[in-house]
Amino acid sequence: MWHKLIPKVCRKLEELGVKYHADASSSLFVSGFCFEMEDFDVTVEWGSIERVRHSFINENPTDIRGCNPRQFTFNIKEHKIDVMSYESDTGIGPGSERQIVSFSGVEIWTKKPSFYLDRMRKDHPIRKEALQYFKVNNARQ
């Protein structure tokens, strides 16, 4: 189901003109590493979270909470979407940390896998397999 939902969410963000990227372990998933994802993490540019929440109003999103990040969640067909925005010049970090990937035939923005892998906690259950996957995958390029 993620292969249908993620492009749908990202298309809506693009229609809104909101810069975004798949974040955290979701960046690994959209970059080709398959695992059982609990939720889709997406970060949007600073100053847009209210507009983004309103665009998903039919999905009954939670209230926006927190300050850095500001965030809200909603569900589509029992799949949780976690939308965040960090207070900074862009809210999504520098362009050097992001890239476009093809996911389910759609180009979407994602944080580079190396960004998350470098910050992933040592005891994360998918860390070893993810490091191996991206080591082999990057060696082929």
Side-chain angles (χ1 to χ4, degrees):
M1 186 57 106
W2 287 121
H3 290 277
K4 293 180 181 179
L5 294 179
I6 291 171
K8 180 180 177 178
V9 169
C10 294
R11 261 188 249 121
K12 184 169 270 196
L13 295 173
E14 295 210 7
E15 289 169 4
L16 290 171
V18 171
K19 293 180 182 175
Y20 71 91
H21 60 250
D23 211 341
S25 62
S26 298
S27 67
L28 306 180
F29 188 83
V30 301
S31 296
F33 180 65
C34 293
F35 65 99
E36 194 64 37
M37 241 183 12
E38 292 179 13
D39 63 354
F40 176 59
D41 295 310
V42 61
T43 298
V44 298
E45 66 186 322
W46 187 250
S48 67
I49 200 161
E50 291 87 359
R51 191 163 41 109
V52 171
R53 182 184 177 278
H54 182 73
S55 73
F56 290 102
I57 202 71
N58 291 338
E59 309 300 337
N60 299 312
T62 63
D63 290 336
I64 296 170
R65 62 191 183 285
C67 59
N68 201 21
R70 296 189 74 203
Q71 65 186 74
F72 71 91
T73 63
F74 63 94
N75 291 299
I76 299 177
K77 299 184 180 185
E78 299 179 18
H79 287 71
K80 182 180 173 187
I81 314 298
D82 189 5
V83 181
M84 299 162 279
S85 188
Y86 293 87
E87 185 173 6
S88 68
D89 290 341
T90 63
I92 54 174
S96 61
E97 296 173 356
R98 303 167 66 237
Q99 66 185 14
I100 293 178
V101 295
S102 180
F103 179 78
S104 292
V106 176
E107 289 188 341
I108 64 167
W109 283 97
T110 182
K111 204 70 153 176
K112 290 182 177 178
S114 58
F115 181 88
Y116 183 63
L117 290 170
D118 290 345
R119 290 155 180 81
M120 189 181 242
R121 60 178 217 269
K122 303 287 186 228
D123 65 343
H124 195 290
I126 65 168
R127 185 173 189 271
K128 182 178 177 181
E129 292 81 9
L131 287 169
Q132 182 61 31
Y133 174 86
F134 287 102
K135 180 180 177 183
V136 169
N137 194 28
N138 289 334
R140 292 182 187 156
Q141 296 178 358

